[in-house]
Amino acid sequence: MTTNSPTPAPFDTTPEAAEETVTVTVELTVTEAVTYEFRSQVEIPADVAADPDELHDYLTQNEELWLDDLDPVGPTVTINERHLDQADVVLTA
């Protein structure tokens, strides 16, 4: 015997249900690519100062020379990319 019953909707699509909201706590994981512009006074070999490519390589390999001067809340910060990696509702008792 076959019964023709309607398939239930996956969620309530009535206008009243669409307007209903809830407040929840969410835990978010966000990854950003950020550009900082700042000045740092560093001591480097004289021949490195004369070549921009060597300067870049030297400072990349010796970031301890300038890293303490990087102020993550300083006045010149540009966010180049932002990705929401994960979002979870935090269940509270």
Side-chain angles (χ1 to χ4, degrees), residues 46-57:
D47 61 331
V48 169
D51 184 329
D53 290 332
E54 283 189 47
L55 175 64
H56 181 272
D57 292 344

Side-chain angles (χ1 to χ4, degrees), residues 7-82:
T7 305
F11 53 87
D12 191 350
T13 58
T14 62
E16 296 81 24
E19 292 175 11
E20 188 176 323
T21 63
V22 295
T23 300
V24 297
T25 300
V26 293
E27 184 171 0
L28 304 169
T29 302
V30 176
T31 300
E32 291 182 335
V34 180
T35 299
Y36 302 100
E37 291 182 26
F38 63 100
R39 291 184 180 190
S40 181
Q41 201 164 31
V42 295
E43 190 170 327
I44 60 173
D47 61 331
V48 169
D51 184 329
D53 290 332
E54 283 189 47
L55 175 64
H56 181 272
D57 292 344
Y58 186 84
L59 293 175
T60 297
Q61 294 171 11
N62 297 283
E63 67 179 27
E64 71 280 355
L65 297 174
W66 53 265
L67 191 57
D68 287 343
D69 293 332
L70 188 150
D71 180 4
V73 293
T76 309
V77 176
T78 304
I79 298 173
N80 301 320
E81 294 180 36
R82 178 178 292 132

